[in-house]
């Protein structure tokens, strides 16, 4: 995304525009309109074209999410400390933050500041919008899946799965459909169920989610956030009632109904709810008027600490299961944190935590979050999956090796980012594939009347390839 860029420094971010600044514009006419807040007729000046400042601190937030998720997946091979295991095995809570950020970025880049509408140029071709975003992550998914496919296939052989199951795994993996199948969601590269759920949400963004959410007032956005939180919580209550509300950590207590647990944490509809919450959250900030921009901004530090402190419930008598902590505490607090940091980064003197997350090292580390997320699972299987590790190294790697594993993951993520994701040839091929697929699937996300309008809009403005 051009406005959540990775190349600009925190200094560029904080000095680019003062809070609420607008680019130059002409006002060669006035016409009556209805005030969106009061509903009364007013004499309106044509809307100014508002320039969007970069918000690099969002990339820093990705770093604070991906590292504990990577650690949580394999920490049992790094320590026997029960307290640490309880605290660090809550990756199913933290992944909610990634879905919120996905929606936050999509909403920021695809809707207009100060106006209750989406960016028509960005959404002129819904199919192109969808395929551009898919091509932002699918090529790396294919690369990693193909490179490690011999290992994935051999694991299927060693656990005596029939070839029909292996073919099913391959099909679900390459079509990104695994999140729809709770019994197969963790096959091959388990963390990529996230991409499967994200793909479904991306298909609904350009025609259903973004235009509708962008049209809401601040009051409407508040009601939407409340409703979506209730829907998300209802799903978690259903799961908890069927199993139990409390748990002692995934490394001690295993769900008696693992498929129910997989539906609860992996289902694309649950992901869509949280992504839409992210869109609603950023729209609330983007609709701030002049009076709201003058109000003191809450220090994001307290909301950040509160959201992550929810994980500490695991070591108390209120040790709710991951699903409940995620919906009742972490996600609502994390949304408040993102909004507070967004407003704070647009002030003349951002707080320390905002500057920290927008600093060069954190932004660079955050830019590696995606390749780290994709590669850490296969690398972990090489060293810690018994069927693989015993054949390669003669044993599962000992606990002192765990810091080395983490360094290898970061190194691999860096190499994939520099050598593949930022490779100009790969980027060109991805853009061409997105355009080709959009042409072949024209009308997939629109009705027949809208297709003609889309073609006219395309002639006026050609969208730029790239994913949020």
């Amino acid at each position: 995304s051009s406005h959540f860029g990775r190349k600009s420094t925190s200094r560029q971010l904080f000095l680019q525009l003062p809070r609420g600044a607008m680019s130059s514009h002409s006002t060669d006419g006035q016409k009556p309109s209805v005030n969106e807040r009061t509903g009364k007729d007013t004499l309106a000046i044509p809307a100014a074209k508002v320039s969007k400042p970069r918000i690099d601190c969002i990339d820093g937030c990705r770093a604070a999410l991906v590292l504990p998720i990577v650690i949580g997946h394999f920490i049992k091979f790094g320590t026997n400390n029960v307290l640490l295991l309880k605290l660090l095995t809550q990756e199913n809570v933290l992944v909610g933050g990634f879905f919120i950020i996905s929606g936050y970025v999509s909403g920021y880049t695809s809707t207009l500041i100060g106006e209750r509408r989406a960016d028509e140029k960005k959404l002129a071709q819904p199919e192109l919008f969808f395929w551009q975003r898919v091509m932002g992550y699918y090529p790396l998914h294919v690369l990693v899946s193909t490179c490690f496919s011999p290992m994935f296939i051999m694991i299927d052989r060693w656990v005596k799965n029939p070839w029909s199951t292996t073919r099913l795994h391959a099909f679900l993996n390459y079509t990104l459909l695994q999140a729809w199948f709770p019994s197969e969601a963790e096959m091959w590269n388990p963390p990529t169920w996230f991409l499967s759920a994200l793909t479904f949400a991306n298909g609904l963004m350009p025609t259903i989610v973004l235009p509708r959410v962008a049209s809401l007032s601040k009051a409407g956005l508040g009601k939407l956030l409340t409703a979506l939180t209730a829907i998300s919580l209802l799903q978690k209550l259903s799961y908890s009632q069927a199993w139990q509300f409390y748990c002692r950590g995934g490394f001690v207590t295993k769900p008696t109904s693992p498929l129910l647990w997989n539906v609860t944490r992996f289902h694309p509809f649950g992901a869509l709810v949280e992504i839409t919450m992210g869109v609603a959250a950023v729209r609330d900030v983007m609709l701030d008027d002049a009076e709201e921009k003058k109000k003191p901004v809450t220090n994001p530090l307290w909301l950040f600490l509160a959201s992550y402190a929810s994980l500490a419930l695991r070591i108390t008598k209120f040790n709710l299961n991951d699903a409940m902590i995620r919906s009742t505490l972490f996600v609502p607090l994390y949304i408040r944190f993102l909004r507070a940091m967004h407003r704070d980064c647009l002030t003349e003197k951002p707080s320390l935590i905002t500057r920290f997350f927008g600093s060069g090292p954190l932004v660079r580390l955050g830019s590696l979050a995606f390749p780290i997320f994709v590669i850490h699972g296969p690398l972990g299987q090489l060293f810690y999956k018994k069927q693989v590790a015993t054949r390669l190294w003669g044993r599962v790697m000992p606990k002192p090796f765990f810091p080395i594993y983490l360094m290898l993951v970061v190194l691999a993520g860096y190499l994939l980012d520099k050598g593949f994701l930022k490779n100009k040839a790969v980027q060109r091929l991805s853009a061409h594939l997105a355009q080709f697929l959009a042409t072949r699937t024209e009308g997939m996300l629109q009705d027949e009347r809208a297709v003609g309008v889309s073609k006219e809009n395309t002639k006026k403005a050609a969208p730029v390839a790239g994913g949020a």
Side-chain angles (χ1 to χ4, degrees):
S1 162
S2 60
H3 298 292
F4 287 77
R6 297 171 181 170
K7 295 183 179 179
S8 58
T9 64
S10 60
R11 179 176 177 82
Q12 290 172 323
L13 163 67
F14 299 130
L15 298 182
Q16 186 172 4
L17 279 178
R19 193 172 183 195
M22 295 185 179
S23 61
S24 60
H25 62 283
S26 61
T27 57
D28 55 357
Q30 296 181 344
K31 58 182 179 180
S33 66
V34 177
N35 186 290
E36 291 181 345
R37 292 179 173 274
T38 65
K40 298 179 180 179
D41 289 339
T42 61
L43 193 62
I45 296 175
K49 183 179 179 181
V50 182
S51 178
K52 292 179 182 177
R54 293 181 182 273
I55 307 181
D56 284 349
C57 46
I58 294 294
D59 268 337
C61 293
R62 289 190 177 105
L65 289 170
V66 74
L67 293 180
I69 287 175
V70 171
I71 292 171
H73 281 147
F74 294 99
I75 186 61
K76 66 180 181 180
F77 299 104
T79 182
N80 288 323
N81 186 295
V82 174
L83 180 64
L84 286 177
L85 288 171
K86 287 184 176 182
L87 286 173
L88 297 177
T89 54
Q90 298 182 69
E91 62 277 4
N92 291 301
V93 176
L94 295 168
V95 75
F98 270 126
F99 283 124
I100 297 300
I101 286 179
S102 295
Y104 208 93
V105 173
S106 289
Y108 187 72
T109 58
S110 303
T111 64
L112 301 178
I113 293 177
E115 300 183 54
R116 285 167 52 179
R117 61 190 181 94
D119 188 333
E120 295 177 0
K121 292 182 179 179
K122 293 283 182 69
L123 306 184
Q125 287 183 283
E127 294 81 17
L128 182 60
F129 180 96
F130 167 71
W131 288 114
Q132 284 173 345
R133 272 143 186 78
V134 171
M135 286 301 151
Y137 51 79
Y138 188 70
L140 181 62
H141 171 64
V142 170
L143 175 68
V144 173
S145 296
T146 303
C147 289
F148 285 90
S149 59
M151 179 183 74
F152 299 144
I153 293 171
M154 289 309 301
I155 290 173
D156 272 347
R157 306 269 55 75
W158 293 329
V159 299
K160 302 186 184 305
N161 281 334
W163 279 107
S164 59
T165 299
T166 301
R167 288 192 293 271
L168 174 64
H169 288 171
F171 172 77
L172 295 177
N173 175 78
Y174 284 106
T175 56
L176 288 177
L177 292 174
Q178 61 266 46
W180 294 95
F181 297 82
S183 64
E184 312 297 339
E186 294 185 279
M187 55 81 193
W188 283 26
N189 188 0
T192 56
W193 72 264
F194 176 93
L195 302 181
S196 174
L198 181 63
T199 300
F200 167 70
N202 279 335
L204 301 180
M205 286 290 120
T207 55
I208 297 177
V209 176
L210 290 170
R212 272 64 176 182
V213 177
S215 69
L216 296 177
S217 65
K218 274 181 168 283
L221 292 169
K223 294 175 184 177
L224 177 62
L225 271 173
T226 300
L228 292 175
T229 300
I231 292 171
S232 179
L233 179 58
L234 186 62
Q235 180 198 25
K236 310 309 189 296
L237 287 171
S238 172
Y239 162 73
S240 300
Q241 185 275 332
W243 182 50
Q244 62 186 47
F245 283 87
Y246 300 95
C247 71
R248 293 173 288 155
F251 66 98
V252 174
T253 301
K254 293 184 177 180
T256 54
S257 301
L259 297 187
L260 177 60
W261 174 227
N262 284 352
V263 170
T264 302
R265 59 179 174 158
F266 294 154
H267 202 283
F269 278 109
L272 175 64
V273 168
E274 291 182 334
I275 291 172
T276 306
M277 291 169 73
V279 177
V282 74
R283 287 298 302 162
D284 181 69
V285 179
M286 296 173 74
L287 289 181
D288 281 353
D289 60 21
E291 290 301 317
E292 288 168 317
K293 291 171 184 176
K294 294 177 182 178
K295 295 179 181 179
V297 178
T298 302
N299 190 328
L301 174 63
W302 310 119
L303 293 168
F304 174 77
L305 293 177
S307 62
Y308 277 75
S310 65
L311 305 179
L313 289 177
R314 180 57 51 79
I315 60 175
T316 71
K317 66 178 181 179
F318 303 105
N319 57 333
L320 295 171
N321 62 55
D322 288 354
M324 290 299 296
I325 291 176
R326 175 168 163 176
S327 289
T328 60
L329 292 169
F330 181 79
V331 165
L333 288 168
Y334 199 76
I335 287 174
R336 289 177 176 270
F337 159 66
L338 288 179
R339 289 191 301 194
M341 188 174 64
H342 186 169
R343 290 184 170 108
D344 185 50
C345 80
L346 299 176
T347 61
E348 294 181 359
K349 295 182 179 180
S351 62
L352 178 61
I353 188 172
T354 303
R355 297 197 304 272
F356 172 72
F357 278 122
S359 64
L362 260 292
V363 170
R364 286 191 291 273
L365 185 57
S367 70
L368 302 180
F370 171 56
I372 286 175
F373 188 83
V374 172
I375 195 63
H376 84 276
L379 284 182
Q381 292 183 52
L382 281 178
F383 300 120
Y384 297 119
K385 196 171 187 68
K386 188 174 181 180
Q387 295 97 328
V388 179
T390 52
R391 287 173 170 83
L392 289 178
W393 324 111
R395 59 174 179 171
V396 172
M397 300 306 286
K399 288 178 173 57
F401 179 78
F402 190 68
I404 299 175
Y405 159 71
L406 294 179
M407 288 188 289
L408 290 174
V409 167
V410 175
L411 176 61
Y414 174 81
L415 294 175
L416 287 171
D417 183 62
K418 294 296 183 182
F420 186 78
L421 291 177
K422 292 182 178 176
N423 183 283
K424 297 299 181 183
V426 173
Q427 292 176 349
R428 286 194 298 270
L429 177 60
S430 298
H432 290 154
L433 282 174
Q435 185 66 63
F436 173 81
L437 291 168
T439 302
R440 295 298 182 276
T441 58
E442 186 177 33
M444 178 181 71
L445 303 178
Q446 316 168 69
D447 63 25
E448 293 180 358
R449 289 172 296 177
V451 173
V453 176
S454 174
K455 290 181 178 179
E456 291 299 319
N457 290 337
T458 303
K459 294 178 182 177
K460 298 178 181 178
V464 179

